């Protein structure tokens, strides 16, 4: 009925097809093994569910830590607003007989323009120091031209640095 040669050639073709299928499946299995190894890297667990639970716990801990850090950062930003942020110094000659710009006015302000102005007037025989409180960019005391310039300088340096 059937020719033996025909049966053998059909069987050879089927075997070749099956061999090719085995090779393709072997390559795919190796790729999946590599991905599985990469996925399980650093884990002693062989159970994916346990590994995912550990990873989710770690992520949740990181979220809590991040929220705590954000709260701390907001607190520190609020505290920094009251810290010295603006400093301006003007040197000048207070008296005609002294040269070298030895006298000075220095403004020290926070973000809200509160702080003080220190002035030192130096002559040949003595030195006088004055401190004037600054609240909302104004003082209860009369400010000299140099003191006003020191405040303006402090604010300008701050606005340049905050850009």
């Amino acid at each position: 009925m059937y020719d033996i040669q025909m049966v053998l050639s059909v069987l050879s073709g089927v075997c070749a097809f099956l061999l090719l299928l085995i090779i393709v499946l072997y390559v795919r299995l190796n790729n999946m093994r590599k991905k599985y190894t990469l996925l399980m890297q650093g884990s002693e667990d062989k159970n994916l569910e346990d590994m995912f639970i550990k990873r989710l716990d770690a992520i949740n801990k990181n979220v809590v830590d991040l929220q705590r850090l954000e709260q701390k950062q907001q607190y520190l930003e609020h505290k920094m607003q009251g810290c010295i942020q603006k400093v301006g110094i003007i040197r000048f000659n207070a008296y005609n007989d002294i040269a070298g710009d030895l006298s000075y006015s220095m403004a020290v302000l926070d973000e809200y323009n509160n702080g003080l102005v220190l002035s030192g007037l130096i002559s040949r025989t003595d030195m006088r120091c004055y401190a004037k409180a600054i609240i909302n960019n104004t003082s209860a005391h009369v400010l000299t031209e140099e003191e006003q310039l020191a405040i303006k300088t402090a604010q300008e340096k701050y606005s340049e640095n905050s850009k």
Side-chain angles (χ1 to χ4, degrees):
M1 304 211 175
Y2 291 107
D3 185 14
I4 219 77
Q5 209 165 12
M6 189 168 127
V7 171
L8 284 176
S9 60
V10 169
L11 284 176
S12 296
V14 169
C15 284
F17 174 74
L18 289 177
L19 182 63
L20 183 64
L21 186 63
I22 288 172
I23 291 171
V24 168
L25 290 175
Y26 181 76
V27 168
R28 283 189 171 181
L29 180 63
N30 274 342
N31 288 338
M32 288 179 79
R33 230 185 243 146
K34 288 177 186 176
K35 289 179 182 178
Y36 177 78
T37 303
L38 184 63
L39 181 67
M40 297 299 288
Q41 191 174 19
S43 174
E44 304 83 33
D45 300 326
K46 297 299 177 193
N47 185 345
L48 280 176
E49 183 181 4
D50 291 341
M51 187 187 76
F52 285 135
I53 289 172
K54 284 182 181 180
R55 300 283 188 225
L56 286 174
D57 288 342
I59 289 170
N60 290 335
K61 181 186 176 300
N62 288 342
V63 167
V64 169
D65 289 345
L66 183 61
Q67 289 171 343
R68 186 180 51 78
L69 288 172
E70 285 175 350
Q71 289 173 348
K72 184 71 170 180
Q73 183 226 357
Q74 289 173 356
Y75 170 76
L76 291 174
E77 280 181 4
H78 177 71
K79 292 296 269 183
M80 280 192 56
Q81 291 171 344
C83 295
I84 294 172
Q85 297 184 17
K86 306 172 189 178
V87 177
I89 299 173
I90 300 298
R91 295 178 58 104
F92 59 96
N93 290 324
Y95 304 104
N96 293 333
D97 62 340
I98 300 289
D101 292 338
L102 298 177
S103 298
Y104 64 90
S105 287
M106 178 174 69
V108 180
L109 305 171
D110 65 8
E111 187 170 323
Y112 303 111
N113 293 321
N114 298 325
L116 60 103
V117 174
L118 295 173
S119 293
L121 305 177
I122 298 174
S123 71
R124 289 191 186 277
T125 57
D126 65 345
M127 177 183 171
R128 296 177 188 207
C129 291
Y130 300 95
K132 298 175 184 175
I134 305 295
I135 299 172
N136 290 327
N137 213 26
T138 59
S139 177
H141 305 283
V142 176
L143 296 174
T144 66
E145 184 180 318
E146 291 82 11
E147 291 168 336
Q148 292 172 0
L149 187 57
I151 292 170
K152 183 179 176 185
T153 301
Q155 292 169 341
E156 287 173 355
K157 283 183 182 177
Y158 176 76
S159 64
E160 287 175 8
N161 291 338
S162 63
K163 289 180 182 178

